Amino acid sequence: MRRHGLPRERLRFWTRRRDGSPETKPALGFVPVEVAPAPSREETVVVEVGGVRVRVEVGASQELVERVLRAVKGVQGC
């Protein structure tokens, strides 16, 4: 429990709630979950121009990145 940052009292609460009377006991079940891998830092590039940060994700075209950086540079007067 400590390894996962759960206080012992919280586990006791949920255990008591699970073991409660049948009238007050909520139906327990599973919910389907889909876990997607987090993008690695290698797939994202952050460019800072004049105090403005632009995050470039994988798949962004070079043309789009150039247009955005030119626009930021033009607005900032860099």
Side-chain angles (χ1 to χ4, degrees), residues 1-75:
M1 291 182 304
R2 290 182 188 172
R3 178 174 25 151
H4 299 292
L6 291 173
R8 182 171 296 175
E9 295 78 27
R10 185 169 296 155
L11 183 60
R12 285 185 187 138
F13 168 82
W14 286 110
T15 303
R16 282 193 307 267
R17 188 163 180 187
R18 182 195 66 201
D19 296 339
S21 67
E23 302 87 40
T24 61
K25 190 171 163 182
L28 297 178
F30 291 98
V31 177
V33 175
E34 184 177 326
V35 179
S40 71
R41 297 196 183 270
E42 297 170 4
E43 296 175 343
T44 303
V45 175
V46 178
V47 180
E48 188 167 337
V49 178
V52 176
R53 288 186 184 161
V54 178
R55 204 168 113 174
V56 181
E57 300 287 337
V58 169
S61 70
Q62 181 178 346
E63 178 187 351
L64 175 62
V65 174
E66 288 176 357
R67 284 190 324 207
V68 170
L69 291 177
R70 279 193 203 111
V72 170
K73 187 176 176 182
V75 170

